[in-house]
Amino acid sequence: MLFSSIDGKNKKKIVLLPHNNPDGDALGSSLALLFYLRKLRHDVDLISPTGYSEFFQWLPGTDNILVFSEKTKSLVKKKIVNSDYVFFVDFNNLSRIKNLREFFLYSKAKKILIDHHPFPFRFDFMFSDSTVSATSILVFRFISEMNHLDKIDKEIATCLYVGLMTDTGFFRFPSVTSETHFIAGKLIEKGIDIDNIYDHLQEKYNENKLKLLSKALKKLKVIKKYRTAYTSINASDMNFYSYKQGDTEGIITYGLGIKDIVFSVFFFEERKKYPIKISFRSKGSFDVNLFSRKHFGGGGHKNAAGGILEKSLSESIEYFLNIIPNYHINLMSSI
Ligand code: 5GP
Ligand code: MN
């Protein structure tokens, strides 16, 4: 029913929504959908609930992204309220589009989920599979089920490939399957420039970002007993190093690089005091999605999750340190 109503015979108003602070998979998937659905002659808008890292500015189509702000609020509201369909891309929980949530009270749009996170809320149409490594895979499957693989051009393929690369850690994570590589192969057949994409996605440091990393590494604490490493960045560090969105990305991976550490945690005081954003990464069986759901009102995937606390930075760290002993056995046995 969805497929026949968006096959292009009738023009629809469609809004694409990635999550707050969209990453490579959220942006790649929604940009690919934008190009694809526009090819079917729909009236399509891509609305980002927040800004996104400069790192992704090079992606094809970013000049089409409408970023929510006080300035664009009424336009964003109008678009959401008047749309026929809204695609929720790369998230399944409305808490991840905080700013835009209220607009759905007034909108009759059918809600379509296209996402790979576990435990989704209910949507009108669900393309949800938590076994795949990236939402980009689900976008590829979606286009394939529409019988439109021929409509994937170099731009769409580039966006999807970026989603694959970023969410699989360049095809390294355990979630990579033969399907991941099969799809990557199909995208390569569309003439994408792998060298160039890889070059864009290489970690690039500006002076401030590097110094922020050094600050975080200096503060890194290792709790050998719990095979855990954690660190933080506070609001004054951010001001001092003129923080720009994306500058803290990658900090969390260093903890997991230490021998025998299986759990890395990063506390981020984005604004003075509240809320604190916390990122979790693990290796092996220790499930940070469950951990974050239970204690930090968040979620994510088994080995990468995030959450938020309405506490000060030091209270948040203390809260965490009180919980962690309960997971001693899980952490000791995580391989
Ligand atoms: P990051 O640490 O990079 O912000 O997030 C890692 C993963 O955790 C993301 O891909 C996303 O799936 C999930 N995640 C991050 N923050 C939240 C949150 O506040 N709520 C939920 N449900 N998931 C989150
Ligand atoms: Mn994703």
Side-chain angles (χ1 to χ4, degrees):
M1 139 59 183
L2 172 67
F3 287 149
S4 58
S5 88
I6 60 162
D7 63 4
K9 291 193 187 80
N10 296 303
K11 185 169 168 163
K12 301 285 181 194
K13 288 199 177 77
I14 300 178
V15 166
L16 307 171
L17 282 186
H19 53 75
N20 290 338
N21 190 16
D23 56 13
D25 188 32
L27 284 172
S29 297
S30 35
L31 286 165
L33 280 169
L34 178 83
F35 286 124
Y36 167 63
L37 293 167
R38 282 189 178 167
K39 277 193 175 183
L40 300 183
R41 303 190 189 290
H42 293 302
D43 180 354
V44 195
D45 284 291
L46 199 179
I47 299 174
S48 181
T50 66
Y52 54 92
S53 169
E54 262 181 17
F55 192 64
F56 295 117
Q57 193 59 50
W58 67 275
L59 276 167
T62 50
D63 45 349
N64 293 283
I65 300 178
L66 172 59
V67 176
F68 173 82
S69 67
E70 275 312 308
K71 256 199 207 148
T72 61
K73 189 171 179 173
S74 62
L75 180 61
V76 166
K77 179 175 175 182
K78 198 168 113 198
K79 297 221 179 255
I80 291 179
V81 170
N82 292 330
S83 61
D84 300 307
Y85 292 103
V86 177
F87 280 72
F88 294 75
V89 185
D90 196 40
F91 68 102
N92 62 26
N93 184 327
L94 297 192
S95 69
R96 301 199 67 205
I97 47 160
K98 245 185 194 157
N99 292 328
L100 309 182
R101 228 175 143 159
E102 56 179 297
F103 303 149
F104 287 93
L105 298 174
Y106 318 103
S107 175
K108 290 205 181 64
K110 291 274 181 223
K111 300 184 186 70
I112 304 165
L113 176 74
I114 185 153
D115 174 57
H116 67 135
H117 293 87
F119 313 124
F121 280 19
R122 281 242 130 257
F123 290 78
D124 298 311
F125 299 96
M126 318 260 290
F127 298 88
S128 162
D129 181 348
S130 63
T131 67
V132 299
S133 48
T135 294
S136 294
I137 288 187
L138 301 179
V139 173
F140 184 91
R141 281 189 194 164
F142 183 88
I143 298 174
S144 169
E145 281 173 42
M146 290 283 287
N147 265 324
H148 281 157
L149 286 184
D150 57 317
K151 294 202 186 296
I152 296 186
D153 56 17
K154 185 177 171 184
E155 282 179 326
I156 295 177
T158 300
C159 295
L160 292 178
Y161 197 79
V162 166
L164 283 187
M165 280 188 90
T166 52
D167 258 29
T168 60
F170 297 4
F171 302 104
R172 280 177 305 145
F173 295 163
S175 53
V176 171
T177 63
S178 59
E179 188 195 18
T180 322
H181 283 289
F182 172 81
I183 292 176
K186 290 287 168 201
L187 300 177
I188 290 168
E189 284 172 12
K190 303 287 181 177
I192 59 174
D193 189 346
I194 297 183
D195 231 33
N196 186 260
I197 296 174
Y198 184 82
D199 189 49
H200 277 295
L201 295 178
Q202 285 275 31
E203 193 73 55
K204 291 203 180 60
Y205 283 95
N206 56 50
E207 184 182 345
N208 283 331
K209 183 171 177 179
L210 200 61
K211 286 183 173 161
L212 207 58
L213 169 65
S214 102
K215 189 91 194 176
L217 293 181
K218 255 192 202 135
K219 290 195 221 174
L220 185 78
K221 300 258 187 322
V222 175
I223 320 176
K224 266 197 177 159
K225 186 173 161 195
Y226 301 133
R227 303 174 75 194
T228 294
Y230 68 94
T231 188
S232 61
I233 286 291
N234 62 31
S236 52
D237 298 333
M238 288 185 32
N239 287 338
F240 192 78
Y241 294 115
S242 323
Y243 169 83
K244 283 203 306 305
Q245 197 157 11
D247 280 356
T248 55
E249 237 137 71
I251 288 178
I252 192 164
T253 53
Y254 287 84
L256 274 192
I258 302 170
K259 190 169 176 292
D260 293 332
I261 296 301
V262 294
F263 187 24
S264 176
V265 184
F266 174 56
F267 297 84
F268 183 32
E269 187 185 41
E270 200 164 1
R271 268 170 280 130
K272 197 81 207 137
K273 284 214 160 163
Y274 314 128
I276 302 296
K277 168 90 180 75
I278 304 127
S279 289
F280 304 101
R281 298 290 184 273
S282 68
K283 270 189 197 163
S285 58
F286 184 64
D287 190 330
V288 290
N289 171 37
L290 296 181
F291 183 85
S292 179
R293 271 169 190 272
K294 182 149 185 211
H295 304 289
F296 294 85
H301 307 276
K302 184 173 140 204
N303 298 118
I308 283 170
L309 279 184
E310 294 292 332
K311 295 176 186 288
S312 72
L313 180 58
S314 59
E315 284 164 355
S316 300
I317 294 176
E318 197 182 315
Y319 172 78
F320 168 74
L321 292 176
N322 281 325
I323 293 169
I324 195 83
N326 301 329
Y327 290 86
H328 191 186
I329 294 173
N330 312 57
L331 289 163
M332 288 313 290
S333 60
S334 188
I335 38 163

